Amino acid sequence: MTLDSLVAPLRADVVSGASVVARTASEVVRRAASRISADSPDEFRATMSDLLVRILDAQPAMAPLVALARDVLLALDDAADVDGAREAAAGAASAFREFMDWCGSSIAERTSELIPPGEPVLTLSSSATVRRSLEDLAGRGGLTVYCLEARPMSEGRRLAQQVAAAGASVVFAVDAAGEALLDETRHLVLGADSLGDRGVVNKIGSAALARGARDRGIPVHVLLDRSKFLPPSFPQPTDDPRPGEEVWRPPPGVQVWNRYFEAFPHDHVTNFVTESGVLIPEAADELRRDLPVPEALRQWAERWSR
């Protein structure tokens, strides 16, 4: 087992949202906890810290990986021996996954209280949290969902299929139709990969939709659990170039620009729907202020901020 081999599937996952990737990462940590070779708690902590940093580098835009790393690192602080360190790391990873599972159902319940039956919804990409909420809304009947394709990997197709299977009437369209489809909808529902100083980071295309919805007076609901909250001054990397061939195999002289994520400001958001309540942007920002930052995370953040 090498650390790179454990992390490789995370980087390779180019269609899942942050919650799904975080669940995969928690399983990577849980398995690694029993396999890492270490003769002392300090050696175990060092190797686990190395693994967590590699996990962060695999998907730097996804804040739940930061939350997972924070929980595991804090759990290791009190480990007195290697066995205790293994148990602490595995326990923190398992608890994190259980928390994520609970958040999905709680956020879906709160979303159903915000969106009246029969009011059409527009969404982009394939957030697991958004999918769960739309499936619950579909179960109440009369839901129309406008799904954009989410180029270049077109994960919006999967969301469209899943929500249709749950009973919604689904209209699927290319990303460029988003502005026009805002005139057909009553709510914009988006997931998030992080919430930080730059605002919300989500799939590219989200910023224009959020701005257009705000200008039309359409509520913008961003669905996210607390694992998406980043401490103040923590980086929100979006300059993570992906292979141009995902978009097009161009002829000589043509360069393809391909990035997955972008940020848009807090003031484009009407509600942050979290597992513990519906928050206005100012309240969500207040909750970020006291998040702890272990040393390994601080060093990683400084590297990205240079």
Side-chain angles (χ1 to χ4, degrees):
M1 177 201 74
T2 66
L3 298 184
D4 283 337
S5 66
L6 286 171
V7 173
L10 297 174
R11 176 70 178 179
D13 188 345
V14 294
V15 296
S16 298
S19 298
V20 172
V21 171
R23 288 181 176 90
T24 302
S26 68
E27 179 61 18
V28 168
V29 172
R30 192 190 64 78
R31 288 190 285 114
S34 64
R35 300 179 186 181
I36 287 174
S37 177
D39 295 323
S40 70
D42 288 342
E43 185 179 0
F44 183 91
R45 289 188 191 97
T47 304
M48 180 58 73
S49 294
D50 188 6
L51 172 65
L52 292 167
V53 166
R54 291 169 192 248
I55 287 172
L56 293 171
D57 285 339
Q59 295 280 3
M62 295 188 172
L65 301 183
V66 175
L68 170 64
R70 179 180 65 235
D71 289 356
V72 173
L73 290 169
L74 292 175
L76 289 174
D77 281 348
D78 297 326
D81 53 34
V82 173
D83 287 342
R86 295 188 194 281
E87 184 177 346
S94 295
F96 180 83
R97 179 167 185 139
E98 291 171 4
F99 168 75
M100 298 288 283
D101 291 341
W102 172 76
C103 285
S105 60
S106 179
I107 290 172
E109 190 175 315
R110 297 181 188 283
T111 303
S112 68
E113 297 169 357
L114 281 176
I115 300 178
E119 295 198 350
V121 169
L122 173 65
T123 192
L124 170 70
S125 194
S126 184
S127 159
T129 304
V130 170
R131 173 187 57 76
R132 176 71 179 271
S133 296
L134 293 179
E135 287 175 340
D136 278 19
L137 286 169
R140 295 159 54 193
L143 178 67
T144 298
V145 180
Y146 293 90
C147 287
L148 300 178
E149 63 177 340
R151 288 273 290 161
M153 304 311 294
S154 299
E155 64 269 20
R157 296 177 184 175
R158 181 173 63 181
L159 180 68
Q161 292 171 334
Q162 292 168 329
V163 176
S169 174
V170 176
V171 179
F172 182 79
V174 299
D175 295 336
E179 184 78 8
L181 290 176
L182 280 171
D183 294 328
E184 306 295 326
T185 190
R186 298 287 297 277
H187 301 269
L188 176 63
V189 177
L190 298 172
D193 293 286
S194 72
L195 173 63
D197 293 350
R198 296 178 64 193
V200 177
V201 167
N202 197 47
K203 184 66 184 278
I204 199 159
S206 298
L209 291 174
R211 183 170 56 250
R214 180 201 60 180
D215 292 347
R216 289 168 171 80
I218 296 170
V220 179
H221 310 293
V222 174
L223 280 49
L224 76 172
D225 61 69
R226 300 287 185 89
S227 74
K228 309 288 181 67
F229 288 28
L230 290 172
S233 302
F234 213 81
Q236 291 176 284
T238 53
D239 53 343
D240 183 22
R242 297 294 176 137
E245 291 77 11
E246 292 177 349
V247 178
W248 184 34
R249 295 188 179 276
V254 177
Q255 180 181 355
V256 176
W257 187 95
N258 182 24
R259 294 182 183 174
Y260 291 171
F261 305 105
E262 66 181 357
F264 60 90
H266 302 80
D267 65 6
H268 288 20
V269 179
T270 308
N271 299 302
F272 288 107
V273 186
T274 77
E275 74 282 4
S276 57
V278 178
L279 306 174
I280 61 173
E282 293 79 5
D285 261 346
E286 183 70 26
L287 292 173
R288 298 193 299 114
R289 294 182 183 176
D290 297 325
L291 292 171
V293 184
E295 179 63 19
L297 280 183
R298 186 188 63 78
Q299 293 179 6
W300 181 83
E302 287 179 353
R303 174 160 59 82
W304 271 97
S305 300
R306 292 183 189 125

